Amino acid sequence: MGRRLLSIWFPRLASEASLRNRPVEGPFALIHRSGHADHLHCLNKAAEQRGLHRGMALADARAIYPDLSTRPANLAREAASLVGLRRWVSRYAPMVASDGTDGLIADITGVAHLFGGEAELQDDLHARIERAGLTALSAIADTRGAAYALARHGGGIIPEGALAKGTAHLPVSALRIDHATADGLGRVGLSRIGDLIAQPRAPLGRRFGAFLLLRLDQLLGYQPEPVSAGTEPPHFGVRMTLPEPIGLQSDVMAGLARLLDRLCATLALHHQGARRLRLELRRVDHGTAQVEIGLARPMRDPARIAALFSKGVDEVDAGFGIDAMRLSAPVTEPMPPEQTGSGPAQRHQDDLADLVSRLGNRIGFDHVLRLAPSDSKIPERSFHMTAAAWSEPVAAPLRRGPLRPATLFLSEPVTHASGNPPVRFRWRRMEFTTLRAHGPERITPEWWFDDPAWRSGLRDYWRIETREGPRLWLFHTPQAPDWRVQGEFV
């Protein structure tokens, strides 16, 4: 028995996936920005019937059909749709691989008889795809190149040993060659694959390159072209079906604890830690409730994760009862095995991560910030704010020179200052008397930043110890006599 391959092409996969949940009447297209203009990425059948095609500039498409409905293309969702279809097509073949961004290739050698033959397998495939609301063309042949070419030009089945005859009528562009080579072949009268098969190979190779001959040999089976499905990414999800409906928070948390034990064991097996977890609760009335949490750092500790679910589970409307639970980790990160300890440093890190997780789930992880040092001598730019959940704490670099205040704020004016440095001054409606003064520390503006606050030029900073207690950081500019406070020492 010879090798048999099935090629499936989804010409409108991206647009049909986008329209599944948000249908649109009439011509529709997904657009993708390329260069300095938007182009049509994927169209529905109605748009193609208006003369629009993939790759056309959006401005040209609007000129042809002004009422065209559009949405931005989501390449990640398109790739996820193809991955889901690849898993589904595995019902027809033990080995299925992606073939470009809109196609699949499956090795059905020795499988077709289970469906009654190749034609019956193809009919069953198309019936199921049509019920799913997708458009597909497929072809079966001895080689990957022949199946690919036929699937994108009408589909069908090429009998064993009839590759040259079955592909002779197809255009040369079906060989998976670039447009320039296809146009060059057309200009010399070689527009069909059958025309190429009849030509001497040496002149073709000299004029159009060895790649053309490679594609032709792959189509005819003279050069092997393997089908490799690749490694299936691990799926981190567990489920539980309950014998009796439950509704109490304690019962849901008990079921969640069992699911977490199983999920965290799977995560540990793959050296992964969860960054986002989703708990789906199915009610007996077929409704669903969902609780989703984020984590400040990768984690697979069931007890600590369960505590973060408590508030969300308490707010779930159980209705007439919950009869099934599903827990998944849609976002994970590598987390190699590590030696855990119970020392103060480890407990401090765990407590901080739990605090950031609780705050992030309440107000959003982008609103929980930490300070990180920056390489700048300017006080206002010596640090920057970063999200605590997506960054690691960084110790301030060791610096030489005068001390810097522990508290830094926007500069505030000082009034009734006398002397340099001031002996007495008024700040925040309080009178201060200088006990000791250390300075000055001269800081120059960074000329590559146009900061309005530093347009006055140099600043001379002084550390002032006051008789009243506060230790302040004051500065003034040589060009201006006014004094201002910008920080306070501990």
Side-chain angles (χ1 to χ4, degrees), residues 261-345:
D261 289 338
R262 292 163 50 193
L263 180 64
C264 291
T266 304
L267 289 169
L269 184 64
H270 292 86
H271 296 172
Q272 294 285 310
R275 286 300 299 263
R276 184 162 292 276
L277 292 131
R278 183 182 300 127
L279 175 64
E280 299 174 42
L281 306 173
R282 189 186 68 188
R283 296 191 292 260
V284 295
D285 61 357
H286 301 293
T288 58
Q290 183 173 292
V291 181
E292 188 165 338
I293 66 167
L295 300 173
R297 65 177 184 178
M299 191 185 303
R300 52 173 180 255
D301 186 334
R304 292 169 57 200
I305 295 175
L308 299 173
F309 271 106
S310 180
K311 180 178 182 297
V313 170
D314 189 41
E315 296 173 352
V316 167
D317 180 11
F320 296 103
I322 295 168
D323 61 2
M325 303 172 62
R326 183 178 184 274
L327 180 66
S328 60
V331 181
T332 63
E333 289 183 7
M335 184 179 178
E338 58 182 7
Q339 182 177 359
T340 59
S342 57

